[in-house]
């Protein structure tokens, strides 16, 4: 049997914080996956700039998802980033298959980031009284995602 990770949080706070982190993890993993999907299938006049911008979003989502997963582990909650879990739990809209026009990709990611930020801010509120360390992590992630949200809105 694997060793149990002892949590610095009591059981109630660990459970609540773990649930919040799991929600954010699913959304961030999904964002990184759909970011690459769009990156590979992007077409249009603004191909290069959006292609590079998608790489920045994917990198940010991957770094943030790793931080969230490691925070979850640190509080004694095993993170779950498996594809089936992400597909079931993510709150992001599905991304269409095939070639994607630059304008459609920008519109998709403005919507996806809006939803991610809304859900992220709800989790920031959810952990306010259960774990301020996790809350601080989520606040930092929100700032990064809100910057990408602003930059993509400027592309519309």
């Amino acid at each position: 049997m694997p060793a149990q990770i002892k949590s610095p949080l009591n059981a109630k706070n660990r459970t609540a914080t773990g649930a919040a982190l799991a929600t954010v993890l699913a959304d961030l993993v999904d964002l990184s996956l759909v970011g690459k999907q769009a990156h590979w299938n992007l077409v249009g006049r603004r191909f290069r700039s959006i292609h590079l911008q998608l790489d920045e979003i994917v990198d940010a989502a991957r770094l943030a998802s790793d931080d969230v997963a490691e925070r979850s582990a640190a509080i004694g909650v095993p993170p779950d980033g498996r594809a089936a879990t992400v597909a079931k739990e993510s709150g992001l809209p599905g991304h269409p298959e095939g070639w994607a026009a630059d304008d459609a990709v920008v519109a998709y990611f403005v919507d996806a980031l809006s939803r991610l930020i809304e859900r992220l801010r709800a989790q920031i509120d959810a952990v306010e009284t259960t774990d301020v360390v996790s809350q601080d992590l989520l606040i930092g992630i929100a700032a990064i995602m809100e910057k990408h949200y602003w930059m993509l809105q400027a592309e519309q």
Side-chain angles (χ1 to χ4, degrees), residues 40-61:
W40 296 324
N41 289 286
L42 180 67
V43 295
R45 291 177 178 251
R46 296 183 296 157
F47 169 84
R48 181 154 175 78
S49 64
I50 296 170
H51 187 80
L52 295 173
Q53 194 169 15
L54 288 171
D55 270 341
E56 292 174 11
I57 292 167
V58 168
D59 289 346

Side-chain angles (χ1 to χ4, degrees), residues 79-98:
D80 188 353
R82 296 173 298 161
T85 302
V86 171
K88 180 181 171 193
E89 301 297 329
S90 175
L92 302 187
H95 191 273
E97 66 178 85

Side-chain angles (χ1 to χ4, degrees), residues 24-43:
V24 174
L25 181 61
D27 288 352
L28 290 170
V29 171
D30 195 15
L31 182 67
S32 72
L33 293 172
V34 296
K36 272 303 181 185
Q37 179 68 22
H39 171 90
W40 296 324
N41 289 286
L42 180 67
V43 295

